[in-house]
């Protein structure tokens, strides 16, 4: 790995200053993605700004009709949290399926969202549940956050501090995992709130996306049969040795139907 | 030799003695070893599949602080070493010409021929400096067209990889009787043809390859600790054949080795390179592969494309078998390489089934990919897959029951011993009985209820069975040396190599059991050219068969000498002495002497008979196996398939194995289960993929799927022990590879059985969910 | 260079580390505790798993300095002299290891699984071990070992 310096700020303000001061700084959250990247010599930051000691970035709480999850909350904490399990069980289930136990002890929701890996699980939840991404300088709604493969609306040095998930009436996450990495080849979250249904699909395309046709059909009638084969064209989907685009298109329909069945049942 | 009646420790599930250090983290694998003043080496590997090296500029890299040496192909050529020879036992093509053996140097000279091929060795004070240096090496490649797939490689007009091998063919091969096979085909009622792919896989031992080399300028001797499974033969090749340093000057040792499965058997470039460098720099040098390098450079396995034809009558009787295979050698002949798709896959054609005639042909071509060498089974899994897949396929085509078809054709015990149409000596076994026992083990009574349960959940359930017949191999000779120490411990040294199979326990079990001594007193040594004069290493499931037999042979010789000591003590003839339960005694008298007492006496010239020297009980003997043994058995699998997604769950797995005498049932189970896991891995998820440009697409665990705990079914294993072989002293039939020989056909048969109502009759491995989904889709539209 | 103080298997150590020094490298090369193994370079095999403040962590996907002040337990800290931890004993009884390379990470994971879920089911064991690859055993004996270890740990 290339050499770098480390800074361990204790507050968001200090973290921001550290980023400004660094020649080419990078925030370090759980490290489960960044550290393997550094080991491969695929990145060369001058400074790593460690967020582990920014205590204002930890914690889960219920705020009225939303669950607030601070950015440095570990996947294991989300999975085990009683409030999340009660209010949004699909979110707890999603968190519990990320990577493996060891990854979940370190990986964070903020890190995952900021990275926006096309095969990550959390983006599907953030988009389907219509979450708000709170940063050090503004609030961004989910629909405006994910802009492309590994790209988000975050400005340079902008730090996610919190995610606020409105509590849905019903939601479910279904995942077809890559057998090697256990990332999502196709991961769908379906969420129903105020008679409105949102469907977010991760893994299948270059970036997490919603599908209007599926959402309309399910808003009309929230049953698995509302999803017809071929609703998602295969053309723009990812294709690789693990799953072709045609197969992913097919899987999306299957996963959405199963998610609807689980959310209803 | 007669079939032995063994007692004394045999058959006991003795807990393993090596476990304490492995469980407490005090094992010593090569990366755990460090020598004062050691330097580190990394290998710069080719990013091109086929290219001329027009220049290599190492000046900037050499100037980097901490870099000690950089060795390129030009340097290697100037050193004048010989290439690494292939030891393939099959060396001639059908027309009698020699196999085409291109020069395999540890570094590319002038041209690279596979992605990952070593181009330079960098030696520096730390790995970090090595990596910095590698980035500064400037290699100019002139790309050439490349070919990754064997069927493409042999076509006219394909890129030529080696001038000496037209159409990239190393050799071709035939075995069997073509005339008889044609005749059988001509007479048979039906001929069923099936094209099969045996997918390319890699061993993935959890410990990557690595080695530590050091040179003593005063003595001129080298020491190489090497995560290798073939120490003595490797020493001979490296020291004599390649470097010309003389084998007496290379001390080659394997420390604890973290798995191998055949991929650590061969002679590799890197240990040779660091031996050269350690002399150059007069510092110890450590090199350890990382996992991505393992994918690029550990020899791969399997990768055969075959057409199999089964000729049978309407009543199901098998008449003839014809198999044509195109193997794949990669860019060079591996240490065993050309043997695998030729001798390896041909020998067991026909399995345990009766045939009038069998004819097998193979082509072994080069491709611009990593070389291939034995991987657990080394040709026999391919043969077993061909046999048991076409039986099920034929059954489906002809509306026959695949179980009845097997029942009808399994060689009955009264036909044994026999020579198979492939010339294989099948000495003993009871295939029909093992078959019935496999079925009986697999809870057929409960099957229908499980089918219903699966259906209620929208899934398809299937049952598949395979009957494998395989044969052992590897070096036929082994040395077992025993010496009794003053402190009461017993040094047992063998030339074989255990990389997790438990020889440390099993061999000690045999020795201690036979001599009536405490197994905890045995200090085990293996895989060390200083410990035994010869050694056959690992391979072909030879451990117990050859190594264990050597231990037993030495034990018996110790008893014979002990009898002389006792006889002298008791003043009787030696032939009056009997030995049992650790005691020498004269029946009908109260003369008795323990083995321990004999050992204590052995160094005292006053109590020894005249014809024995002190230390007479310290004996080394070499056992030579006459002919290989024939392990065989049945695998049965149940799978549940989700037709919507194609996801397969292996929901039940049963094995009935004939391994002859079982020395340690717990260790035998372990070998079977590990082998089955690898077989399931190959059948369902493992696949080494090169793209058309020769780039390795599956170059890490991110893309190469390995079975994990939640992928594995519960395995039930039984043993048929009524046919021990007389081919070795223990009556054992090597168990190490059988698991992955029997599993792939059982799994694929089960999946095709589950999907037969949907019109699916074959899917090529790995049966990924997408392939299953497509097969179902395609069957619907056709 | 950062100076860190860690408690490893109950022993306090203070050392200078480079920012880029992985925890696995620190454990193996600085502390000479070579029981923690490195089996891959994509943080997927689990051979490097250690326990930090009671939670399992892949030491190859962590920097040493991240754990300044932490209680680190490696495989070497599990047994009590020659007296094996019940989980280690269970692995031995059930032949839950062959080559031994994945074993330290596997055992550390097994202990953590049971500590967080003493009545753990077989399915949960299989799922809990999804981050640990074994190439030798086929996992079955590992599962049996974890069940027996759990029982012994429950007391």
């Amino acid at each position: 790995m290339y050499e770098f310096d480390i800074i361990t700020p204790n507050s968001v303000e200090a973290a921001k200053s550290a980023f400004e001061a660094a020649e080419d700084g990078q925030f370090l959250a759980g490290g489960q993605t960044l550290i393997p990247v550094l080991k491969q010599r695929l990145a060369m930051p001058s400074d790593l700004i460690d967020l582990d000691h920014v205590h204002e970035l930890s914690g889960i709480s219920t705020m009225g009709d939303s669950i607030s999850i601070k950015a440095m909350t570990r996947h294991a904490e989300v999975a085990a949290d009683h409030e999340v399990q009660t209010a949004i069980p699909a979110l707890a289930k999603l968190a519990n399926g990320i990577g493996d136990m060891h990854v979940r002890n370190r990986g964070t929701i903020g890190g995952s969202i900021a990275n926006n890996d096309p095969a990550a699980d959390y983006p599907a939840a953030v988009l389907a549940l219509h979450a708000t991404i709170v940063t050090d300088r503004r609030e961004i709604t989910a629909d405006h956050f994910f802009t492309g493969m590994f790209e988000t609306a975050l400005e340079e040095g902008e730090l996610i501090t919190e995610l606020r998930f409105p509590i849905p009436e019903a939601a479910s996450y279904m995942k077809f995992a890559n057998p090697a990495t256990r990332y999502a080849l196709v991961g769908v979250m379906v969420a129903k709130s105020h008679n409105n249904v949102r469907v977010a699909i991760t893994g299948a395309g270059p970036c997490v996306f919603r599908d209007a046709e599926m959402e309309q059909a399910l808003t009309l009638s929230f049953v698995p049969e509302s999803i017809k084969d071929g609703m998602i064209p295969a053309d723009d989907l990812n294709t690789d040795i693990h799953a072709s685009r045609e197969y992913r298109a097919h899987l999306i329909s299957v996963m959405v139907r199963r998610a609807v069945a689980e959310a209803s049942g | 030799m007669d079939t032995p009646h063994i007692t004394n420790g045999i058959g006991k599930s003795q807990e393993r003695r090596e476990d304490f250090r492995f469980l407490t983290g005090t094992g010593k694998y090569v990366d755990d070893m460090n020598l004062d003043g050691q330097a580190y080496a990394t290998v710069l590997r080719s990013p091109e599949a086929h290219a001329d090296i027009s220049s290599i500029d190492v000046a900037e890299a050499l100037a980097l602080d901490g870099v000690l040496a950089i060795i390129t192909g030009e340097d290697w050529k100037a050193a004048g070493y010989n290439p690494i020879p292939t030891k393939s036992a099959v060396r001639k093509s059908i027309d009698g010409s020699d196999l085409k053996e291109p020069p395999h140097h540890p570094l590319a000279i002038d041209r690279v021929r596979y992605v990952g091929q070593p181009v330079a060795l960098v030696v520096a004070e730390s790995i970090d400096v090595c990596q910095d240096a590698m980035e500064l090496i400037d290699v100019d490649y002139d790309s050439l067209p490349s070919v990754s797939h064997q069927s493409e490689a042999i076509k006219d007009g394909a890129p030529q990889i080696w001038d000496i091998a037209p159409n990239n063919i190393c050799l071709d091969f035939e075995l069997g009787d073509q005339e008889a096979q044609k005749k059988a085909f001509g007479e048979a009622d039906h001929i069923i043809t099936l094209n099969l792919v045996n997918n390319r896989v890699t061993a993935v031992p959890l410990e990557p390859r690595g080695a530590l080399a050091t040179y003593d300028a005063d003595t001129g001797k080298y020491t190489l600790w090497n995560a290798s499974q073939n120490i003595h033969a490797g020493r001979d090749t490296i020291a004599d054949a390649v470097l010309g340093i003389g084998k007496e000057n290379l001390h080659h040792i394997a420390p604890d080795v973290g798995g191998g499965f055949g991929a650590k058997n061969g002679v590799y470039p890197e240990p040779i390179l660091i031996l050269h460098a350690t002399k150059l720099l007069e510092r110890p040098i450590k090199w350890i592969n990382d996992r991505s390098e393992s994918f690029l450079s550990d020899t791969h396995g399997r990768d055969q494309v075959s057409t199999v034809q089964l000729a049978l009558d309407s009543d199901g009787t098998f008449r003839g078998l014809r198999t044509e295979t195109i193997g794949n050698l990669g860019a060079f002949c591996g240490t065993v390489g050309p043997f695998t798709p030729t001798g390896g896959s041909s020998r067991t054609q026909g399995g345990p089934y009766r045939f009038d005639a069998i004819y097998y042909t193979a082509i072994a071509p080069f491709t611009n990919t990593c070389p291939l060498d034995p991987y657990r089974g080394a040709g026999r899994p391919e043969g077993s897959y061909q046999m048991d897949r076409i039986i099920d396929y034929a059954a489906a085509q002809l509306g026959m029951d695949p179980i009845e078809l097997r029942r009808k054709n399994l060689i009955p015990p009264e036909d044994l011993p026999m020579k198979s149409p492939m010339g294989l000596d099948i000495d003993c076994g009871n295939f029909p009985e093992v078959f019935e026992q496999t079925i009986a083990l697999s809870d057929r009574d409960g099957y229908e209820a499980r089918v219903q349960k699966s259906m209620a959940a929208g899934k398809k359930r299937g049952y598949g069975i395979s009957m494998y017949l395989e044969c052992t191999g590897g070096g036929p000779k082994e040395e077992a040396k025993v010496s009794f120490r003053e402190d009461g411990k017993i040094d047992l040294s063998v030339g074989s190599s255990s990389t997790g199979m438990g020889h440390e326990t099993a061999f000690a079990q045999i020795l201690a059991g036979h001599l009536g001594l405490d197994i905890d007193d045995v200090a085990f040594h293996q895989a060390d050219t200083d410990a035994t004069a010869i050694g056959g290493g690992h391979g072909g499931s030879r451990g117990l068969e050859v190594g264990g037999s050597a231990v037993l042979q030495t034990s018996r010789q110790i008893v014979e000498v002990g009898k002389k000591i006792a006889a002298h003590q008791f003043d009787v003839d030696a032939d009056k002495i009997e030995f049992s339960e650790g005691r020498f005694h004269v029946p009908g008298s109260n003369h008795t002497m323990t083995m321990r007492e004999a050992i204590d006496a052995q160094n005292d010239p006053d109590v020894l008979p005249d014809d024995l020297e002190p230390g007479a009980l310290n004996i080394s003997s070499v056992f030579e196996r006459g002919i290989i043994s024939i392990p065989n058995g049945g695998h049965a699998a149940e799978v549940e398939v989700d037709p919507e997604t194609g996801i397969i769950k292996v929901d039940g797995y049963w094995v009935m194995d004939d391994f002859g005498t079982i020395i340690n049932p717990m260790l035998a189970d372990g070998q079977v289960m590990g082998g089955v896991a690898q077989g399931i891995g190959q059948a369902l998820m493992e696949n080494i993929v090169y793209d058309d440009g020769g780039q390795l697409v599956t170059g890490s665990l991110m893309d190469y799927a390995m079975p994990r705990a939640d992928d594995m079914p519960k395995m039930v294993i039984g043993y048929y022990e009524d046919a021990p072989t007389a081919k070795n002293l223990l009556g054992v039939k090597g168990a190490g590879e059988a698991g992955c020989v029997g599993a792939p056909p059982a799994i694929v048969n089960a999946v095709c059985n589950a999907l037969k109502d949907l019109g699916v009759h074959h899917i090529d491995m790995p049966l990924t969910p997408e392939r299953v989904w497509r097969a179902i889709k395609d069957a619907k539209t056709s | 260079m950062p100076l860190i103080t860690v408690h490893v298997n109950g022993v306090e150590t203070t050392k200078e580390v480079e920012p880029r020094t992985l925890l696995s490298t620190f454990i193996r090369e600085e502390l000479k505790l070579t029981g923690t193994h490195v089996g891959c370079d994509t943080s997927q095999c689990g051979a490097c798993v250690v326990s930090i403040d009671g939670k399992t962590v892949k030491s190859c996907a962590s920097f040493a300095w991240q754990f300044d002040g932490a209680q680190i337990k490696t495989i070497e800290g599990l047994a009590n002299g020659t007296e094996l931890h019940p989980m280690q004993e269970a692995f031995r009884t059930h032949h839950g290891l062959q080559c031994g390379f994945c074993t330290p990470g596997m055992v550390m994971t097994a202990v953590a699984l049971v500590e967080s879920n003493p009545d753990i089911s077989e399915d949960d064991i299989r799922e809990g071990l999804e981050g640990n690859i074994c190439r030798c055993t086929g996992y079955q004996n590992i599962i049996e070992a974890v069940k027996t270890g759990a029982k012994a740990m429950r007391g």
Side-chain angles (χ1 to χ4, degrees), chain A residues 162-240:
Chain A
E162 181 190 350
L163 283 105
R164 289 198 204 120
F165 292 91
I167 297 170
E169 282 160 29
S172 163
Y173 183 66
M174 285 285 163
K175 172 177 175 177
F176 180 91
N178 178 320
T181 60
R182 313 257 159 146
Y183 271 87
L185 278 176
V186 169
V188 317
M189 182 167 276
V190 170
K192 183 167 187 278
S193 259
H194 315 305
N195 293 324
N196 198 39
V197 178
R198 287 169 70 99
V199 176
I201 299 151
T202 187
C207 181
V208 63
F209 64 94
R210 290 168 55 197
D211 187 73
E213 202 186 342
M214 288 190 168
E215 289 180 345
Q216 276 157 31
L218 289 172
T219 298
L220 224 51
S221 174
F222 193 66
V223 290
E225 295 71 29
S226 296
I227 302 299
K228 312 285 177 228
D229 284 337
M231 267 175 163
I232 308 269
D235 308 343
D236 298 324
L237 299 182
N238 299 334
T239 209
D240 65 22

Side-chain angles (χ1 to χ4, degrees), chain A residues 2 41 242 244 247 250 258, chain B residues 132 135 642 644-645 770:
Chain A
Y2 298 116
R41 294 195 157 204
H242 300 290
S244 67
Y247 182 56
H250 165 76
R258 292 184 183 185
Chain B
D132 290 340
E135 280 181 9
D642 181 344
E644 273 199 317
T645 59
E770 173 159 5

Side-chain angles (χ1 to χ4, degrees), chain C residues 65-85:
Chain C
W65 57 262
Q66 286 180 292
F67 300 101
D68 183 21
Q71 298 282 343
I72 300 175
K73 197 170 214 161
T74 71
I75 188 73
E76 290 92 340
L78 211 52
N80 193 359
T82 53
E83 195 189 311
L84 294 178
H85 183 283

Side-chain angles (χ1 to χ4, degrees), chain A residues 1-3 39-41 100 176 178-183 240-248 250-251 254-255 257-258, chain B residues 128 131-132 135 292 642-647 685 689 697-698 701-706 708 710-711 768-770 773-774:
Chain A
M1 158 166 3
Y2 298 116
E3 292 186 75
K39 284 165 74 173
Q40 302 289 336
R41 294 195 157 204
D100 56 54
F176 180 91
N178 178 320
T181 60
R182 313 257 159 146
Y183 271 87
D240 65 22
I241 56 163
H242 300 290
S244 67
R245 52 179 58 96
E246 294 81 24
Y247 182 56
R248 286 179 212 241
H250 165 76
L251 279 180
V254 174
M255 295 290 128
R257 283 187 205 116
R258 292 184 183 185
Chain B
D128 282 323
Q131 288 178 350
D132 290 340
E135 280 181 9
S292 302
D642 181 344
E644 273 199 317
T645 59
I647 291 178
M685 65 187 77
V689 177
V697 174
T698 51
L701 291 173
M702 303 275 285
D703 287 303
Y704 191 85
M706 297 275 290
R708 293 173 187 256
D710 53 7
D711 292 312
T768 61
E770 173 159 5
W773 170 71
R774 280 193 185 276

Side-chain angles (χ1 to χ4, degrees), chain B residues 357-370:
Chain B
I358 303 177
Y359 182 57
Y360 177 93
T361 55
I363 297 174
F366 295 109
T367 58
N368 292 114
T369 63
C370 177

Side-chain angles (χ1 to χ4, degrees), chain B residues 222-242:
Chain B
Y222 299 76
T223 307
L224 180 69
W225 290 274
N226 194 357
S228 164
Q229 297 174 271
N230 209 354
I231 290 300
H232 287 75
R235 183 266 318 261
D236 293 350
T237 299
I238 294 171
D240 281 343
V242 178

